[in-house]
Amino acid sequence: MLHRAEAIKAIETLWARFLDERTLPGNLRDAIRYSLLNGGKRLRPILVLHCCEAVGVPPERLVEHTWASAGAIEMIHAFSLVHDDLPAMDDDDLRRGRPTLHRHTSEAMAILGGDALMGLAFELIATRLKPVELAGRIVVELSCATNDMIAGQVYDTLPDFDPGMSAMDRLLTIHRHKTGALIRAACRMGAICGGADDNQLEAITSYGQAIGLMFQVVDDLLDVTQSTRQLGKTAGKDQRQGKLTYPGILGLDASRAEVKRLRLEAENALECLGTAAEPLRVLCEYMAIRTK
Ligand code: IPE
Ligand code: IPE
Ligand code: MG
Ligand code: MG
Ligand code: MG
């Protein structure tokens, strides 16, 4: 049985070592450490870990199989949050219960810290993941998902990006890109690092797609229903900033029903994976009912 907290701690130690070994300007190193190493739910690394487990890798081999992919995707996630909070984007002062990076240091360091996290993510895969064919496959997964996330942030920033589309279709496009893409990629990267066969990868991909969308529906709901204190980030911002969100379009009850539907879709996708996918079932439930 995998002890998840210990595995995540071991993975974090390996990323920290990777960063320590890398020559970087001191201010940049501090900015990266501030945004990467202190907090967050670590959902994407946890997904990499459990998706690797779900395709048959034994618990004692999971850290060695997943740490580079888990670290790289968390770096991309951290980069996306640092830039998401910038004044030119969501203009947020609070993240994970602390000042956002640009508030803590400067806008320049937040822009450059985000840029560096992206470069370092790919450097980590390219230099640490073996064999090289696997590293190549993971780079394809992560780079495509990163570009989809960036496209999603563009759509989010310009929510009438295609006035020919219905508001619901635009909303789906935004959420599948800005949040869904990285979550789906975390799942696929874990499965690929575990040597998944085609059927396993298809199941994991369907699971990742459903929870990826579900995750952002829940994020939209929490923005409306929770306090800033509970979230550790500013609540009630989406409406003030005119964002296209699930509660904004469907209302609270229908958004909650959508979470339930996506949760079932994700659980059904796991059927063919048997008991090795049990942690993914538990995680799906947690993601549906989380309050933070
Ligand atoms: C927040 O992601 C941004 C979204 C994509 C909704 P998380 O809720 O996973 O953020 P942390 O890493 O736990 O702070
Ligand atoms: C964030 O969406 C998506 C990315 C960072 C890619 P939000 O703007 O809703 O995330 P929070 O609510 O600030 O964490
Ligand atoms: Mg945003
Ligand atoms: Mg935001
Ligand atoms: Mg949000």
Side-chain angles (χ1 to χ4, degrees):
M1 177 85 181
L2 173 74
H3 192 293
R4 184 159 84 202
E6 275 176 18
I8 289 294
K9 216 163 154 218
I11 288 173
E12 286 174 345
T13 306
L14 289 163
W15 312 336
R17 194 177 304 156
F18 166 75
L19 288 173
D20 288 346
E21 285 167 7
R22 185 65 168 75
T23 307
L24 293 167
N27 296 12
L28 188 62
R29 181 186 302 287
D30 290 347
I32 289 168
R33 292 185 70 90
Y34 186 85
S35 59
L36 183 67
L37 295 178
N38 297 312
K41 294 182 289 293
R42 301 293 192 223
L43 172 72
R44 293 146 194 85
I46 289 170
L47 282 168
V48 176
L49 202 63
H50 285 318
C51 287
C52 187
E53 184 180 19
V55 301
V57 173
E60 65 278 8
R61 310 286 310 271
L62 285 170
V63 170
E64 76 184 78
H65 274 79
T66 58
W67 78 271
S69 295
I73 201 150
E74 191 68 358
M75 284 184 195
I76 298 289
H77 170 59
F79 136 63
S80 81
L81 295 182
V82 166
H83 282 191
D84 181 73
D85 290 333
L86 283 168
M89 295 188 64
D90 289 355
D91 192 11
D92 243 303
D93 294 338
L94 196 68
R95 171 70 65 186
R96 296 171 174 169
R98 297 180 308 167
T100 46
L101 181 58
H102 67 275
R103 285 275 169 203
H104 172 71
T105 56
S106 64
E107 273 182 50
M109 215 38 71
I111 292 168
L112 295 166
D115 292 345
L117 279 162
M118 167 136 84
L120 286 164
F122 290 103
E123 187 179 319
L124 172 57
I125 304 269
T127 60
R128 302 295 198 274
L129 191 60
K130 304 279 184 278
V132 70
E133 292 76 19
L134 176 62
R137 248 185 113 183
I138 294 297
V139 164
V140 171
E141 292 293 327
L142 190 58
S143 56
C144 289
T146 301
N147 290 326
D148 281 350
M149 178 275 288
I150 292 168
Q153 291 287 71
V154 172
Y155 300 143
D156 180 89
T157 311
L158 311 164
D160 51 357
F161 57 93
D162 183 350
M165 277 166 97
S166 71
M168 195 59 218
D169 283 345
R170 274 180 285 140
L171 177 62
L172 261 175
T173 304
I174 293 170
H175 284 22
R176 284 198 176 127
H177 283 78
K178 76 170 183 175
T179 300
L182 276 186
I183 290 182
R184 176 179 178 274
C187 295
R188 285 177 58 87
M189 286 161 67
I192 291 169
C193 287
D197 64 26
D198 289 349
N199 288 339
Q200 288 173 319
L201 188 56
E202 198 183 313
I204 291 286
T205 304
S206 303
Y207 171 82
Q209 215 145 275
I211 57 161
L213 178 56
M214 185 184 83
F215 191 79
Q216 187 61 43
V217 183
V218 173
D219 185 80
D220 289 355
L221 277 164
L222 296 178
D223 182 82
V224 181
T225 58
Q226 301 290 328
S227 64
T228 295
R229 197 183 158 80
Q230 163 68 14
L231 293 177
K233 60 185 184 184
T234 319
K237 285 206 65 173
D238 292 339
Q239 200 190 0
R240 283 205 294 285
Q241 293 187 320
K243 299 283 185 182
L244 219 39
T245 67
Y246 268 75
I249 290 198
L250 296 179
L252 289 179
D253 288 344
S255 301
R256 289 186 181 119
E258 188 58 10
V259 171
K260 216 170 179 178
R261 187 188 71 75
L262 289 164
R263 177 178 160 185
L264 276 177
E265 191 178 310
E267 283 168 2
N268 287 339
L270 297 175
E271 248 164 45
C272 66
L273 296 171
T275 54
E278 191 50 31
L280 292 179
R281 291 186 190 93
V282 176
L283 201 55
C284 176
E285 182 187 1
Y286 155 76
M287 283 191 280
I289 63 171
R290 72 194 170 99
T291 56
K292 188 176 169 148

